[in-house]
Amino acid sequence: VVVDRLREINLIKDYGGFLTEVLAPVQKAEKPSWPVLPLVLALGGVCGLLFGSGLAYLVELSDKTFRSPDELHHALRLPIMAHVPGAAIKRRRRGRGAEPAIDPSIIAAHRPSSRFAEVFRGLRTALCFSASGAKCRVIQITSANPRDGKTTVAANLAVSFAQSGKRVLLVDGDLRRPRIDAVFGVQPEAGMVEVLAGESELVDAVTASGVENLWLLPCGRQPANPAEVLSSPEFEQLIGIVREQYELVIIDSPPVLAVSDPAVIAPRADGVLLTVRITKHGRPEVVQARQILAGIGSKLLGVVVNSSDKGHGFNYGYGYGGSYGYGYAYGNGNDDMNKQ
């Protein structure tokens, strides 16, 4: 029994120790062994960078907004002739004394020393001294969409040229929604439509604007077929006559994407100015308008960038009615001059 107890004691001693055995001798490492975690982090960073770049590229492709005039210049490959600032214009108040005949949006006539008028003097200078606009005597002003400010640009540019001493004729080529007579506060008995129909003489249809050296050729009565009137030989002959009688003829025409009228007028003009308002989702329409004008062989002089100020007092829409009519809605509140 004693011997058996001693054997048990010896077994317990063996349990408290370590048994070691040399499997292979120690050798010097030939190349380092990299940890797994830094490698995974580096690979994840590269994949994240590629994913982020691809996502940013897709966002850029889906973006339809011009953020700046530089983007507009690169997209259209046309010179930026002027950048018109925003200006809040109050509506006329009726019944409070004599109202000015010329609309307040024609700031070049009301405030010729203002910053706004200086922009149009710069546009006038750019047209006079640029290689493309120096020899242009008939200039068409249009836009891609409604509410881009083409009428305001045309009227202020005409006033600016008249103030320089040139004999200027402003023609209302928007036979669907004429605005020149209302902007200058005139009520003509006849207009361009009557002249083309042979019902009136040109000298009787041309109206004084209230600005020295500036005359107006308003629309007259609105025809049922504006595109046919503008594509008639009589219209081409009329442009040839006023080209000889005036030093500069400016034609205000409808938006390019709204109707086909601007494409009919463009071949008869020496150059075309495209008015563009930097708005949300405007890039495809502006590019399409540029392609249409270039496709018919018109001479694109450049782009007038209108301000991107936001106002909601003037709602302007082109839409066909029963025949060639248009529907327009005017909201309440103050009008913004750049939306005319």
Side-chain angles (χ1 to χ4, degrees):
V1 173
V2 173
V3 172
D4 292 338
R5 294 292 297 171
L6 291 175
R7 288 176 179 174
E8 291 178 359
I9 293 173
N10 290 333
L11 290 175
I12 294 173
K13 289 181 179 181
D14 292 339
Y15 293 154
F18 297 93
L19 298 178
T20 61
E21 181 180 358
V22 179
L23 300 179
V26 178
Q27 297 181 354
K28 184 179 180 180
E30 297 180 357
K31 57 182 179 178
S33 177
W34 295 100
V36 178
L37 182 59
L39 182 62
V40 172
L41 293 177
L43 183 61
V46 172
C47 294
L49 180 62
L50 293 177
F51 177 77
S53 301
L55 184 61
Y57 180 72
L58 292 177
V59 171
E60 182 69 21
L61 288 180
S62 61
D63 187 14
K64 299 179 181 180
T65 305
F66 288 117
R67 299 187 187 91
S68 66
D70 291 334
E71 289 189 5
L72 183 63
H73 168 69
H74 291 301
L76 300 183
R77 299 184 180 276
L78 291 173
I80 304 298
M81 305 296 287
H83 191 173
V84 182
I89 304 299
K90 295 182 179 180
R91 298 174 65 106
R92 297 178 181 178
R93 296 180 180 180
R94 300 181 179 180
R96 294 191 178 183
E99 297 180 0
I102 302 177
D103 191 90
S105 63
I106 315 304
I107 300 182
H110 292 290
R111 291 184 289 163
S113 60
S114 64
R115 171 172 168 257
F116 183 88
E118 186 64 32
V119 170
F120 285 96
R121 282 193 287 270
L123 176 59
R124 179 188 70 195
T125 303
L127 290 173
C128 291
F129 291 96
S130 66
S132 58
K135 298 181 179 180
C136 293
R137 299 192 63 176
V138 179
I139 298 177
Q140 176 188 359
I141 297 182
T142 184
S143 61
N145 296 308
R147 302 181 65 182
D148 281 349
K150 62 177 185 60
T151 301
T152 300
V153 170
N156 280 277
L157 181 61
V159 171
S160 181
F161 269 107
Q163 290 171 345
S164 68
K166 286 191 174 184
R167 286 174 50 87
V168 182
L169 177 67
L170 179 58
V171 179
D172 196 342
D174 192 344
L175 305 185
R176 304 173 189 267
R177 187 185 185 271
R179 286 282 300 160
I180 296 301
D181 53 350
V183 167
F184 284 89
V186 297
Q187 296 179 352
E189 297 180 358
M192 183 174 62
V193 174
E194 286 78 10
V195 174
L196 297 178
E199 301 173 2
S200 177
E201 296 295 331
L202 178 60
V203 66
D204 298 326
V206 173
T207 306
S209 66
V211 177
E212 187 178 2
N213 298 323
L214 175 60
W215 288 266
L216 309 175
L217 181 56
C219 167
R221 70 168 184 269
Q222 291 183 246
N225 51 350
E228 286 75 8
V229 171
L230 295 173
S231 59
S232 64
E234 289 78 11
F235 178 72
E236 187 172 2
Q237 295 173 5
L238 176 64
I239 296 300
I241 293 174
V242 297
R243 183 194 298 271
E244 299 298 328
Q245 294 182 357
Y246 297 89
E247 296 180 76
L248 181 66
V249 178
I250 297 178
I251 304 176
D252 176 30
S253 64
V256 176
L257 300 184
V259 289
S260 62
D261 301 3
V264 177
I265 299 175
R268 294 159 173 79
D270 298 332
V272 179
L273 275 178
L274 185 63
T275 304
V276 176
R277 180 187 295 276
I278 301 180
T279 55
K280 186 177 181 181
H281 305 306
R283 185 191 298 261
E285 290 83 1
V286 174
V287 173
Q288 183 181 357
R290 190 243 192 270
Q291 293 173 347
I292 292 175
L293 293 173
I296 60 178
S298 60
K299 184 179 181 181
L300 289 167
L301 302 177
V303 178
V304 177
V305 180
N306 211 351
S307 64
S308 58
D309 55 320
K310 298 179 180 179
H312 305 282
F314 185 89
N315 300 322
Y316 178 13
Y318 271 73
Y320 283 102
S323 55
Y324 285 93
Y326 284 82
Y328 303 90
Y330 294 83
N332 296 325
N334 292 337
D335 289 344
D336 183 82
M337 54 80 56
N338 291 315
K339 295 184 179 179
Q340 292 185 6

